[in-house]
Structures are given as C-alpha cells and as structure tokens.
Amino acid sequence: MSDHTNLTRLREAYTAFDKGDLAALREFWHEDLRWHEPGSSPVAGDYRGPDAVFGMFGQVMEMTGNSLRAEAVLTCADDEHGTALVRFTAHRGERHLDTRCAHVTRFDADGRAVEFWNAPLEPVVWDAFWS
C-alpha cells in the first residue's frame, strides 16, 4: 500500500524547509495560505500568504543565527488534514531550544496547504525562547 498523496507532499514540505528550498514550499502552499503562530512572542500571530510566512521565517532564522532545525518525527495525512510531531532545536545566544510542536495542516482539493497551526507541546518554553 502506498502513502497518501498528501502525506508524501507533507513530508516533502518538511524536507524543503530543512534544505531552505523556498520554491518548493511556495509550490506546496496555497497563495492565500493562513498560518497561525501561538503565544505572545515577537513571532506569534497570524500570517496570510507565502510572503508573510517567509518574512516570519527570515525573522526566526535571524534570531537564531540560522540554527533553527525542524525534524518531523511523526507524520500522517488524509484528504483534508495532515499532522506532524516536530522536534525543534535552535540557539539564541545562551538560550537553547529543544522541544516538540504538533503541526496541523489543512489541504485544499489539489493537495496544497491552505491553513497551518503550530501547537507547541511546551508553550511556556516556546514563548520564553522567542521572547
């Protein structure tokens, strides 16, 4: 039995992020993507469209000296949604991040991401690192 098409696309998106392949991410995302980052840190908020998300990515990479890594350790997907358990590691000066987040992606009929939610499993740790 082969993997669901959206599962394959979801895994490819995490690989693209890891490689810094913004063109592949732009192809995966719908042009009207809605991205939700929780908390009260400088990167928290709702982002609309790939360019806004890329701007936020640029901000977190600058804040971490490009040390941020996201390893999808568990993924699943169907026609409507994809989920991933992701291990994040990064450094900011003397601060170190090693935590997990649950990600939920909603797909359109063409398998493009139209909405994304980040849900840190340790929200206090997540916010403290970015603040």
Side-chain angles (χ1 to χ4, degrees):
M1 192 165 130
S2 63
D3 288 337
H4 192 285
T5 303
N6 286 342
L7 178 57
T8 300
R9 290 179 55 77
L10 186 65
R11 288 177 176 157
E12 289 170 350
Y14 282 100
T15 299
F17 178 85
D18 187 46
K19 293 179 179 179
D21 187 348
L22 303 185
L25 288 173
R26 187 176 294 277
E27 182 180 313
F28 175 65
W29 295 337
H30 189 276
E31 59 273 3
D32 196 32
L33 172 69
R34 289 174 292 175
W35 186 287
H36 309 285
E37 281 293 325
S40 58
S41 75
V43 297
D46 294 325
Y47 299 87
R48 188 139 202 163
D51 290 336
V53 176
F54 288 146
M56 182 263 297
F57 283 0
Q59 183 181 4
V60 293
M61 288 307 198
E62 183 177 321
M63 293 168 77
T64 65
N66 292 317
S67 69
L68 179 71
R69 297 293 175 264
E71 176 192 3
V73 295
L74 180 65
T75 54
C76 63
D78 62 14
D79 291 339
E80 277 189 70
H81 294 94
T83 59
L85 178 62
V86 181
R87 178 183 181 208
F88 280 95
T89 57
H91 304 284
R92 287 186 68 198
E94 296 299 315
R95 297 184 210 176
H96 302 285
L97 179 70
D98 189 347
T99 192
R100 283 158 182 69
C101 293
H103 289 168
V104 177
T105 303
R106 186 170 58 86
F107 299 107
D108 68 7
D110 296 322
R112 295 179 76 193
V114 294
E115 198 156 15
F116 175 91
W117 295 267
N118 180 27
L121 300 185
E122 299 176 291
V124 172
V125 170
W126 185 258
D127 257 1
F129 180 79
W130 296 111
S131 296

